[in-house]
């Protein structure tokens, strides 16, 4: 039995298809007399291939899956990528080596970042690199349409192009050596309902094509050559999983209400204006997290007040009166932006970032706050400040927000009458003084990813220690309980916008702790709604109380399992 990260729930049983490691080809199969022309031809052939592929995937798996190829086409047109390859060739490298080195360096850069969205870009970079190298070396890509029987795919990694082409009727499940719950392959698996486990070390050494395997996407386990007893056990689990997933689409438009009428808010996390459409399609009742930092990335200068105003206004209008929580600029750490002249730091994740930078750069911060005040007229806008660690930071941020409004009014600009103000709880110090912070805000939003990392002292992307990243650790549940209780005593609501909110194992205890809103990936919404509608709020509260007294995460998982 192999253990990894549970990336997509469900049980899959089938024969293994083992894929070779496709990082980059080591042998150059062609000699290019004109390297520059060969590179240009590879770029053109890759673009034509992607356009065709996009059309095929849009027909079979929908526009959301096909959109990955839009990003790849943009990357192939990126002047910096093209110039880096050209410079390497001018320095004497052959075209294959130039592409290899450029892709490897870019991939390493993105992989070293902590932000989930930026890590996904590493997979995209490797994907387009593999495509370019395929045209330069004559290596052929995997033809997923040629499968003649269903399989369990085992691979070092799967590219976005691979997963976008998956047919759930032929790919029963998959397992990979690298990746996390936020990798593109994991997200695609959840969207298509394909059970998956990722992050299994040295997996390729212990599996062979044709062997029978079981993927347990709930427990994060892969069983190769199972015993008869294991087969019987997992066939029963498969039937239960299938029954749960049946008719999932019908829950998109239903409210998340427990059997004893406890109402739970369900919102979506977005990073771009275009994400609103997907959020609504999956049944989001609002936007619980709009990551505004993406407006500031991949450009030479900061977005103007007008650019930001239009983006925020568009999201609010498209949500048609539904609440929209917009997080103010959260950069630094792994999200370095050149034009902001951010200093090099020995430990940037504990450094000058998020609200700390914004408070030190009020001229930059106020541009965003002004845009928010202006956009607030077009919907139910709520803003929240990230990485607040103490009361002084919160008060200073609120003061700048008020100053921005006063400036706009003095200029005769139209602004919102009022805006709800909240803050992220992602630093343990904020959780511990939640009773002092609650009177100062309208709501809290728990950023579970960072709260867990900072509390446990664990880098969840470090494959050597990510087993210590435990959302159900008693310390984490106690901090969450403290935050919710402190807010409720002040009549304020609490949401959560981290991965924990979309984890079906964690949902019952969060319901029991009194979490008011779950803000999750759009594709996770139907499953969370369906689960909530099977739960008893009273029983969840009873179990949550026992969880707070438990000693280990394993004890807590056992308590939660008793609910089913």
């Amino acid at each position: 039995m192999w253990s990894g990260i549970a990336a997509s729930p469900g049980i899959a049983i089938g024969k293994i298809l083992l894929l070779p490691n496709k990082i980059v080809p080591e042998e150059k199969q062609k000699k290019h007399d004109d390297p520059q022309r060969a590179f240009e031809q590879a770029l053109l052939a890759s673009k034509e291939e992607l356009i065709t592929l996009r059309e095929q995937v849009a027909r079979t798996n929908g526009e959301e899956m096909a959109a990955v190829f839009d990003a790849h086409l943009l990357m192939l047109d990126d002047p910096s990528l093209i110039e880096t390859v050209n410079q390497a060739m001018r320095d004497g490298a052959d075209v294959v080596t130039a592409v290899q080195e450029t892709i490897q360096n870019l991939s390493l850069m993105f992989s070293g970042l902590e932000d989930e969205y930026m890590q996904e870009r590493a997979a995209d970079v490797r994907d387009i690199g593999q495509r370019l190298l395929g045209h330069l070396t004559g290596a052929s890509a995997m033809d997923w349409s040629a499968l003649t029987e269903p399989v369990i795919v085992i691979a070092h990694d799967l590219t976005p192009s691979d997963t976008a082409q998956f047919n759930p009727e032929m790919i029963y499940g998959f397992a990979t050596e690298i990746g996390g719950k936020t990798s593109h392959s994991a997200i695609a698996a959840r969207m298509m309902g394909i059970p998956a486990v990722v992050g299994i070390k040295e997996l390729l050494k212990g599996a062979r094509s044709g062997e029978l395997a079981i993927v347990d996407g709930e427990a994060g386990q892969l069983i190769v050559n199972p015993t008869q007893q294991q087969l019987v056990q997992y066939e029963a689990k498969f039937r239960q999983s299938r029954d749960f997933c049946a008719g999932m689409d019908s829950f998109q438009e239903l409210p998340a209400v427990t059997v004893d009428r406890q109402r739970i808010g369900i919102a979506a996390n977005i990073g771009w204006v275009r994400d609103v459409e997907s959020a609504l399609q999956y049944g989001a009742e609002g936007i619980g997290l709009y990551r505004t930092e993406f407006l500031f990335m991949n450009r030479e200068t900061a977005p103007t007040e007008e650019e930001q105003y239009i983006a925020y206004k568009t999201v609010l209008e498209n949500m048609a009166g539904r609440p929209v929580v917009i997080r103010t600029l959260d950069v630094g750490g792994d999200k370095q932006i050149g034009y902001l002249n951010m200093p090099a730091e020995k430990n940037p994740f504990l450094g000058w970032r998020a609200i700390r930078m914004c408070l030190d750069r009020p001229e930059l911060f106020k541009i965003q706050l002004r845009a928010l005040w202006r956009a607030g007229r077009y919907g139910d806008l709520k803003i929240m400040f990230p990485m607040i660690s103490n009361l002084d930071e919160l008060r200073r941020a609120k003061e700048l927000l008020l100053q921005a409004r006063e400036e706009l009014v003095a200029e005769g600009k139209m602004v919102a009458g009022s805006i709800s103000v909240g803050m992220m709880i992602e630093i343990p110090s904020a959780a511990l003084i939640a009773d002092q912070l609650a009177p100062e805000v309208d709501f809290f939003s728990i950023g579970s990813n960072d709260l867990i990392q900072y509390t446990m002292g664990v880098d969840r992307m470090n494959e050597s220690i990510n087993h210590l990243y435990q959302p159900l650790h008693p310390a984490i549940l106690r901090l969450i309980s403290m935050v919710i209780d402190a807010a409720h005593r002040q009549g304020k609501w609490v949401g959560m916008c981290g991965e924990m909110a979309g984890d079906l194992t964690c949902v019952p205890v969060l319901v029991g702790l009194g979490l008011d809103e779950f803000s999750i990936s759009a594709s996770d919404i139907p499953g969370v709604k369906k689960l909530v509608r099977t739960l008893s709020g009273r029983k969840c509260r009873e179990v949550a109380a026992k969880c707070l007294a438990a000693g280990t995460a394993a004890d807590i998982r056992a308590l939660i399992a008793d609910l089913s």
Side-chain angles (χ1 to χ4, degrees):
M1 181 182 294
W2 300 75
S3 294
I5 300 169
S8 181
I11 303 296
I13 303 172
K15 291 183 179 179
I16 291 175
L17 171 64
L18 187 68
L19 297 186
N21 192 336
K22 300 192 306 179
I23 297 175
V24 284
E26 295 180 359
E27 298 181 358
K28 304 169 183 61
Q29 300 173 16
K30 291 182 180 179
K31 181 67 176 177
H32 299 284
D33 296 329
D34 187 342
Q36 178 67 44
R37 178 166 174 75
F39 178 48
E40 292 173 355
Q41 289 177 334
L43 282 170
L44 181 60
S46 295
K47 292 176 186 176
E48 292 175 347
E49 198 171 59
L50 285 170
I51 291 170
T52 300
L53 202 51
R54 191 202 187 287
E55 294 173 352
Q56 293 173 350
V57 171
R59 287 195 300 269
T60 56
N61 288 333
E63 278 294 326
E64 189 168 0
M65 290 295 297
V68 65
F69 299 114
D70 294 333
H72 290 190
L73 286 165
L74 287 172
M75 284 186 177
L76 289 174
D77 282 328
D78 186 346
S80 63
L81 182 147
I82 295 171
E83 175 54 27
T84 302
V85 173
N86 286 334
Q87 183 60 53
M89 288 192 289
R90 288 195 292 269
D91 291 341
D94 64 86
V95 62
V96 171
T97 300
V99 171
Q100 284 178 333
E101 292 179 351
T102 299
I103 294 301
Q104 285 175 327
N105 290 336
L106 281 173
S107 176
L108 286 172
M109 181 191 74
F110 282 115
S111 296
L113 303 180
E114 186 177 339
D115 180 81
E116 301 164 15
Y117 177 84
M118 300 309 290
Q119 286 168 358
E120 289 175 30
R121 302 289 70 76
D124 290 321
V125 168
R126 291 193 297 270
D127 199 336
I128 64 167
Q130 196 67 41
R131 193 172 299 281
L132 287 168
L133 290 166
H135 288 293
L136 289 168
T137 64
S140 57
M142 177 68 185
D143 182 4
W144 295 103
S145 65
L147 290 175
T148 58
E149 63 177 346
V151 294
I152 301 289
V153 175
I154 304 294
H156 173 71
D157 191 17
L158 290 168
T159 68
S161 291
D162 288 329
T163 51
Q165 297 177 76
F166 277 2
N167 176 357
E169 294 182 2
M170 299 301 287
I171 309 295
Y172 279 177
F174 67 77
T176 61
E177 290 186 319
I178 66 172
K181 289 193 70 171
T182 59
S183 65
H184 191 283
S185 58
I187 293 170
R190 292 195 293 273
M191 288 174 62
M192 292 185 286
I194 298 175
V197 180
V198 300
I200 303 178
K201 292 182 180 180
E202 300 185 346
L203 174 59
L204 298 189
K205 296 179 180 179
R208 299 288 182 271
S209 287
E211 293 180 321
L212 190 65
I214 298 172
V215 175
D216 186 342
E218 311 281 350
Q221 294 177 337
L222 173 73
I223 302 172
V224 178
N225 292 321
T227 65
Q228 186 61 35
Q229 182 179 0
Q230 288 173 323
L231 268 177
V232 171
Q233 175 189 359
Y234 275 94
E235 283 171 352
K237 282 188 176 183
F238 170 76
R239 289 191 293 271
Q240 292 173 355
S241 176
R242 180 191 58 195
D243 292 344
F244 178 81
C245 293
M248 192 78 78
D249 292 350
S250 64
F251 287 85
Q252 293 178 3
E253 300 306 319
L254 294 175
V257 183
T258 64
V259 294
D260 49 359
R261 311 313 296 168
Q262 180 178 340
R263 182 73 160 85
I264 306 296
I266 303 292
N269 299 333
I270 67 170
W272 303 96
V273 174
R274 63 175 179 264
D275 295 339
V276 170
E277 181 181 359
S278 176
L280 292 174
Q281 287 176 348
Y282 278 104
E285 299 165 348
I287 300 300
L289 171 63
Y290 177 10
R291 303 178 178 94
T292 60
E293 58 267 26
F294 297 144
L295 288 171
F296 291 74
M297 294 179 175
N298 300 318
R299 52 186 300 152
E300 300 299 322
T301 59
T304 64
E305 178 183 324
E306 194 66 21
E307 287 178 288
Q308 294 188 60
Y309 160 69
I310 291 171
Y312 307 148
K313 174 177 176 284
T314 302
V315 170
L316 286 162
E317 288 179 329
N318 289 347
M319 288 302 292
R322 300 174 183 85
V324 174
V325 178
I326 297 181
R327 182 175 69 188
T328 59
L329 182 60
D330 185 5
V331 295
D334 57 334
K335 292 172 282 192
Q336 296 294 318
I337 297 179
Y339 61 78
L340 293 181
N341 299 316
M342 306 181 77
E345 298 177 286
K346 290 184 178 180
N347 195 338
F349 299 107
L350 299 178
W352 192 63
R353 55 179 295 201
I355 199 66
R356 300 167 181 178
M357 186 205 72
C358 288
L359 293 177
D360 288 346
R361 300 278 296 274
E363 72 288 351
L364 174 74
F365 194 28
K366 274 191 178 179
I367 291 173
Q368 181 174 44
L369 298 178
R370 286 168 59 95
L372 288 166
W373 274 115
R374 291 173 58 198
R377 298 172 52 230
Y378 297 92
D380 183 3
L381 171 62
K382 307 175 191 303
I383 70 168
M384 64 180 176
F385 302 119
M387 210 177 176
I388 296 289
S389 63
N390 61 64
L391 195 54
D392 288 336
E393 288 174 332
L394 176 60
R395 287 174 174 169
R396 288 173 59 202
K398 289 170 61 180
E399 181 180 354
L400 287 173
L401 180 64
L402 182 59
Q403 288 178 14
R405 187 180 194 281
E406 291 173 345
E407 290 174 5
L408 288 165
V409 171
E411 295 168 13
K413 300 283 181 63
M414 301 291 289
V415 299
S418 63
I419 293 178
S420 294
V421 177
M423 58 166 281
M424 298 278 290
I425 299 284
E426 49 191 337
I427 298 178
S429 64
L432 292 168
I433 61 168
D435 59 330
Q436 297 175 321
L437 295 166
E440 302 270 342
V441 295
D442 297 305
F443 66 94
F444 288 141
S445 181
I446 300 172
S448 61
N449 298 354
D450 277 343
L451 182 62
I452 297 168
Q453 290 192 126
Y454 287 136
T455 302
M456 303 299 297
V458 173
D459 175 3
R460 65 198 177 100
M461 299 311 297
N462 185 328
E463 295 179 2
S464 298
I465 58 171
N466 60 19
H467 63 282
L468 297 174
Y469 178 88
Q470 298 177 346
L472 292 174
H473 189 283
I476 302 303
L477 295 188
R478 291 183 186 185
L479 286 175
I480 291 171
S481 180
M482 288 175 59
V483 171
I484 293 173
D485 290 346
H488 286 180
R489 284 195 297 270
Q490 294 290 326
K492 311 296 173 65
W493 62 273
V494 182
M496 179 182 286
C497 56
E499 287 177 29
M500 188 177 178
D503 187 330
L504 297 181
T505 303
C506 299
V507 168
V509 72
L510 293 174
V511 170
L513 291 174
L515 188 69
D516 300 294
E517 179 183 274
F518 292 67
S519 188
I520 54 185
S521 298
S523 58
D524 289 337
I525 289 174
V528 171
K529 283 186 175 183
K530 182 172 184 178
L531 175 59
V532 169
R533 292 175 67 87
T534 69
L535 298 173
S536 160
R538 178 184 59 79
K539 289 183 179 178
C540 287
R541 290 189 290 274
E542 291 173 357
V543 167
K546 293 177 182 178
C547 289
L548 293 175
T552 69
D555 294 337
I556 290 171
R557 284 193 294 270
L559 288 167
I560 295 171
D562 288 342
L563 278 169
S564 58

